Amino acid sequence: MDAWSSAHMRRWITTVIEGSAPRSVNWWLSVRWIAQLHVYDRTLPAEDRREWAEAALSLTKCAERFTGYDRWTAVADAFKLRSLLVRELGPVPGDGTWDVAALLRDVLAVVTLAPDQARELAERWQTLPVEQIQLLRRHKNLLTPLVPLADRLPAGSDAERVRAWLAVRPDLP
């Protein structure tokens, strides 16, 4: 797989079926790492890096689908990769993967608390049950990729909600 093109890898991903898919999360993450190495290669053209990122995003979905890779971790991984390429290569308006507004919508669709709820819980996080502390931490991890995009947020209600979250984020455990 090291010698495959991004197109070859993406074609292969579409052929993986439930019965024959590897069941080791580490296997999927190691294959994803192959794709990510190309994503991080700043000598490659922007379009090549985005194509490799598409493969990496698909491999994360495979890890979740075939191995039970944690949903929160999978979406946080995807948000980090998307944010990185938006920052380094710029957005692609209208493309749901590389558009800042779409990224904001996707992050907001995953959060399960309101910023005010999170703030209230964060004020007493040391006394909370482990599950609630983990929930706050998951929210912090989801929001982290948006921090470097804070100055690029488009106008609108989603951006206002994200700003409210970014104000709470430093207080989360």
Side-chain angles (χ1 to χ4, degrees):
M1 292 181 157
D2 287 344
W4 286 6
S5 68
S6 61
H8 186 179
M9 186 172 283
R10 287 186 322 224
R11 275 192 309 274
W12 173 79
I13 291 166
T14 65
T15 68
V16 178
I17 57 173
E18 191 71 37
S20 64
R23 298 291 176 201
S24 166
V25 69
N26 290 332
W27 187 90
W28 286 103
L29 297 180
S30 67
V31 174
R32 182 182 76 185
W33 184 243
I34 294 169
Q36 282 181 227
L37 288 174
H38 297 286
V39 173
Y40 301 142
D41 183 351
R42 290 183 175 101
T43 66
L44 291 177
E47 191 54 39
D48 290 354
R49 291 178 69 194
R50 285 190 186 100
E51 287 176 12
W52 279 109
E54 294 282 351
L57 292 169
S58 293
L59 289 161
T60 300
K61 289 177 185 174
C62 288
E64 184 182 1
R65 177 178 169 202
F66 298 123
T67 72
Y69 188 50
D70 179 69
R71 173 77 176 137
W72 286 92
T73 305
V75 295
D77 289 349
F79 296 156
K80 288 174 194 167
L81 191 62
R82 291 170 62 190
S83 173
L84 171 82
L85 289 187
V86 166
R87 284 190 328 267
E88 290 191 5
L89 306 177
V92 179
D95 184 321
T97 304
W98 312 119
D99 181 71
V100 177
L103 179 58
L104 298 182
R105 282 191 304 275
D106 292 347
V107 170
L108 292 171
V110 176
V111 297
T112 60
L113 299 171
D116 291 341
Q117 286 177 292
R119 183 180 308 285
E120 186 272 321
L121 291 170
E123 289 173 357
R124 56 187 178 86
W125 74 265
Q126 295 92 340
T127 65
L128 296 175
V130 170
E131 296 78 23
Q132 284 188 306
I133 296 169
Q134 289 173 330
L135 181 64
L136 291 173
R137 187 68 188 167
R138 288 177 176 137
H139 280 74
K140 186 173 190 171
N141 289 339
L142 288 178
L143 297 162
T144 297
L146 299 181
V147 171
L149 296 175
D151 62 337
R152 298 183 190 191
L153 300 182
S157 60
D158 288 342
E160 292 309 313
R161 286 180 56 206
V162 166
R163 284 186 185 89
W165 268 112
L166 293 178
V168 172
R169 190 189 152 279
D171 299 328
L172 300 176

